[in-house]
Amino acid sequence: MARITGRTVLIVGASSGIGAEVARQLAGGGNRFVITARRAAELAAVAAEIRAAGSVCLDLPADALDPTAAAGVVAAAVTEYGSVDIALLNAGQGPDMSMDRVGVADVSRIMALNYDVAVNYLVPLIAQLRGQAGGGLIAHTNSLAGLMGVPRQGPYSAAKAAVRTLLDTARVELAPHGVRFTSIHPGFVATERVGGDGLPKPFQISQERAARHVVRALEREPAQACFPRPAAALVRTLRALPAPVSDAVLRRLAAGL
Ligand SMILES: NC(=O)c1ccc[n+]([C@@H]2O[C@H](COP(=O)([O-])OP(=O)(O)OC[C@H]3O[C@@H](n4cnc5c(N)ncnc54)[C@H](OP(=O)(O)O)[C@@H]3O)[C@@H](O)[C@H]2O)c1
C-alpha cells in the first residue's frame, strides 16, 4: 500500500503504460485524481478503474503539445479540488531513430513529443504550486536515456536530457516556495507501445514493477530516481569510462550484443 494518501494527483499521460499503472497503484487511500492524455476512450477506462478503487477522478482528454489545453487541465484540476499536490508529467515516446537516417523534422518532432509536452505543463504547474499552501511535487518520467546519448535513441535522449536540466534548475529556484522536483529515470519497460519496436532492451522490467518504482519516487521525492538497479549501474559506469570504451560498449548493446 502506497503511503501517499489524501492527495490530489495529476497524471499527464495516464491512458496506458506506466502512467495508467501508477494511477491504479495510487487509487484509493483518499487520493483524488486528474488524469489526461489524448485517447479519450482509453483514459475513461483508466478513470473507471480508479473510481472502482474508491477515488474520485476527473478524466480530461487533452493534447500536451497544446499549451492552452495544458493550462486548461491544470486550471480544471484546481477548480475541482482546490490544489494539485503531486503532478506526474509522464507523456513521451522514443521511437527507434538513428542519426544517419533522420531528417531535421524528425528530430524536432521527437523534441516536441518529449520536451514541449513537459514544458507546457511545467509552467502553469509552477505558477499554481508556488502559490498554494505547502507547495507541491512535480515529477517527470524521464529515462536512463536522458542521462547519456543512447544509440538509435539520440533525439529522444537529447529531449529527455533537456527536461532533466530544466527540472534541475527549477528545483534550486523554487525550493524556497515549497515546490519540489523529481526526475524519474526508468530503464527499458515492457509497455504495449514499445513492444515490437525492434530495439534491444537489456534489463527490461514489467510495467507493474516500473510503476512501483515511480510510486516510491513520488513518496520519497529524491532529486533523481534511476531503476532498475543493474541498468542504472551500467549507465553510471558507462558515463565514468573513457569515451572510446563506452562508445564500443554502446555500439555492441545497440546491435543486440
Ligand atoms: N517503456 C519504456 O521502455 C520507457 C523507458 C523509459 C522511459 N519511458 C517513458 O515513460 C513514459 C511513459 O511511457 P510508456 O512506455 O508507458 O508508453 P505509453 O503507454 O505510450 O504512455 C505514454 C502516455 O503519454 C500519453 N501521451 C503521449 N503524447 C501525449 C500528448 N501529446 N498529449 C497527451 N498525452 C500524451 C499517452 O497517451 P495518448 O496516446 O492517449 O495521448 C500515454 O498515456 C514516457 O515519457 C516514456 O518516454 C518509457
Side-chain angles (χ1 to χ4, degrees), residues 13 15-16 18 38-39 63-64 90 142 156 160 187 189 191 193:
S15 59
S16 62
I18 299 167
R38 292 162 302 184
R39 290 169 297 164
D63 188 346
N90 175 72
N142 204 294
Y156 175 71
K160 290 289 196 184
V189 180
T191 58
R193 280 276 174 93

Side-chain angles (χ1 to χ4, degrees), residues 12-20 36-40 42-43 62-66 89-94 112-114 117 121 140-145 156 160 184-194 201 204 207:
V12 181
S15 59
S16 62
I18 299 167
T36 179
R38 292 162 302 184
R39 290 169 297 164
E42 285 79 355
L43 195 64
D63 188 346
L65 283 172
D66 177 348
L89 311 184
N90 175 72
Q93 57 191 85
L113 289 175
N114 290 283
V117 294
Y121 275 93
H140 173 245
T141 313
N142 204 294
S143 168
L144 288 178
Y156 175 71
K160 290 289 196 184
I184 300 171
H185 298 263
F188 292 109
V189 180
T191 58
E192 205 181 311
R193 280 276 174 93
V194 300
K201 298 188 178 66
Q204 189 180 48
Q207 178 175 299

